[in-house]
């Protein structure tokens, strides 16, 4: 490793240089071990490769390499790639790519293009959907039954639907959310002093619908409609949901937020969960799609005294890696 220098970037929709080119023996890796949580961004921005190139261009090393690790989840999987690959190759910079997790299946073609176009190697680190993210083992239930359970007399219920692109890229198949929402709103219509509402979120964007007195399903739109976006910032969405459910116009005594998500997210802060537990707002959580991080999602529900459920889906596409011979 003599005369070897290293640098480290983290990136999402934005990129940050954690440290510049430094002698390998004195590189401050440990200083940045905990640097990868937070709201760095929620989808892959390929332009971080250009930032890495500029850094390497300023060095006189004979061999220059980028090791690019990502889940490759992007709104545009081929965003600015051709020019970036050409510029790396022309500068003699090799890019090895490592696809992380189940989402990289969608963008692996792009990762292969980056590697082969620069003389590098493309690999993938597989994270099984049947691994720890599917613990604890909870019997899956019909989503209509789950959502109806959160509606009751003198109860305000805000359904918070994750509409990030990860749910649709990984879990193709039936989408029972619209039907379940209709069932919940119908039950609210027959309950005393019930209020229901809906919000959709992805990234750091939350589209809110005001809580309404239950007048039937026509008061709520289908959560699967509208444009998909990359990224899932559950922390931000939960804070916005808390503001809505705590508004002075919400007259019901009991207040619930029902989060329906795959749990692929940036960090959810304890202070956000404290808003719920300290102020008597229940957070029910529904794990949606087979790749959902059940451990994280159940922890959110447990921290606020809410119910945790797993959605039963009748047809869902699931990719399994081929076994090596």
């Amino acid at each position: 490793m003599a005369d070897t220098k290293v640098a480290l970037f983290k990136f999402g929709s934005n990129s940050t240089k954690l440290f510049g080119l430094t002698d390998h023996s004195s590189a401050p890796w440990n200083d940045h071990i905990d640097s990868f949580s937070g709201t760095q961004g929620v989808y892959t921005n390929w332009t971080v490769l250009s930032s890495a190139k500029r850094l390497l261009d300023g060095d006189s090393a004979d061999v220059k390499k980028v090791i690019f690790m990502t889940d490759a989840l992007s709104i545009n999987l081929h965003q600015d790639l051709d020019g970036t690959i050409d510029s790396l190759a022309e500068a003699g910079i090799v890019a090895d790519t490592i696809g992380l997790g189940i989402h990289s299946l969608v963008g692996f073609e792009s990762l292969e293009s980056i590697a082969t176009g620069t003389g590098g190697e493309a690999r993938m680190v597989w994270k099984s959907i049947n691994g720890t993210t599917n613990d604890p083992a909870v019997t899956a239930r019909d989503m209509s039954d789950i959502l109806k359970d959160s509606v009751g007399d003198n109860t305000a219920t805000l359904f918070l639907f994750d509409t990030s692109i990860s749910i649709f890229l990984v879990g193709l198949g039936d989408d029972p959310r619209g039907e379940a929402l209709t069932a919940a709103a119908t039950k609210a219509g027959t309950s005393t002093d019930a209020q229901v509402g809906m919000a959709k979120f992805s990234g750091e964007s939350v589209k809110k619908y005001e809580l309404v007195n239950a007048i039937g399903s026509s008061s709520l739109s289908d959560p699967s409609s509208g444009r998909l976006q990359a990224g899932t910032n559950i922390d931000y969405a939960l804070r916005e949901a808390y503001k809505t459910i705590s508004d002075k116009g919400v007259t019901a005594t009991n207040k619930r937020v029902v989060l329906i998500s795959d749990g692929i997210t940036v960090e959810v802060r304890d202070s956000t969960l404290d808003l719920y537990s300290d102020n008597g707002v229940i957070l029910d959580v529904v794990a949606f799609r087979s790749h959902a991080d059940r451990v994280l999602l159940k922890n959110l529900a447990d921290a606020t005294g809410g119910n945790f459920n797993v959605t039963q889906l009748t047809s869902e596409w699931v990719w399994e890696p081929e076994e090596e011979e």
Side-chain angles (χ1 to χ4, degrees), residues 145-167:
D145 292 335
I146 293 171
L147 298 198
K148 284 190 293 185
D149 282 351
S150 296
V151 175
D153 293 341
N154 198 23
T155 300
T157 306
L158 175 64
F159 297 104
L160 182 60
F161 288 93
D162 179 352
T163 58
S164 60
I165 202 169
S166 66
I167 285 179

Side-chain angles (χ1 to χ4, degrees), residues 24-161:
H24 183 274
S25 61
S26 58
W29 299 109
N30 290 338
D31 294 345
H32 300 285
I33 275 296
D34 298 321
S35 297
F36 298 97
S37 61
T39 56
Q40 181 65 22
V42 284
Y43 62 87
T44 301
N45 189 334
W46 307 105
T47 57
V48 68
L49 290 169
S50 299
S51 299
K53 176 185 179 296
R54 287 193 294 271
L55 184 68
L56 292 172
D57 282 342
D59 193 85
S60 58
D62 294 329
V63 178
K64 300 179 181 180
K65 175 175 281 194
V66 173
I67 300 175
F68 186 52
M69 294 178 281
T70 177
D71 65 359
L73 185 59
S74 176
I75 294 175
N76 182 350
L77 296 175
H78 299 282
Q79 173 187 354
D80 300 328
L81 271 187
D82 291 341
T84 300
I85 294 171
D86 290 344
S87 66
L88 289 171
E90 290 170 2
I93 297 173
V94 174
D96 288 341
T97 59
I98 301 176
L100 302 174
I102 191 170
H103 295 110
S104 62
L105 295 170
V106 180
F108 195 65
E109 180 181 344
S110 297
L111 296 180
E112 284 186 310
S113 297
I114 295 169
T116 57
T118 61
E121 181 180 359
R123 290 164 287 178
M124 186 168 70
V125 178
W126 170 249
K127 180 180 181 182
S128 173
I129 61 171
N130 295 316
T132 57
T133 57
N134 267 356
D135 293 328
V138 176
T139 301
R141 299 175 59 208
D142 180 83
M143 183 175 273
S144 292
D145 292 335
I146 293 171
L147 298 198
K148 284 190 293 185
D149 282 351
S150 296
V151 175
D153 293 341
N154 198 23
T155 300
T157 306
L158 175 64
F159 297 104
L160 182 60
F161 288 93

Side-chain angles (χ1 to χ4, degrees), residues 194-214:
Q195 292 177 290
V196 293
M198 186 189 81
K200 301 188 291 187
F201 74 98
S202 56
E204 295 185 5
S205 171
V206 178
K207 184 175 183 180
K208 289 190 261 187
Y209 298 83
E210 295 301 319
L211 283 165
V212 295
N213 292 324

Side-chain angles (χ1 to χ4, degrees), residues 132-136 292-300 308:
T132 57
T133 57
N134 267 356
D135 293 328
D293 190 336
R294 296 187 185 184
V295 173
L296 180 144
L297 292 172
K298 187 174 188 303
N299 287 340
L300 299 182
F308 174 70

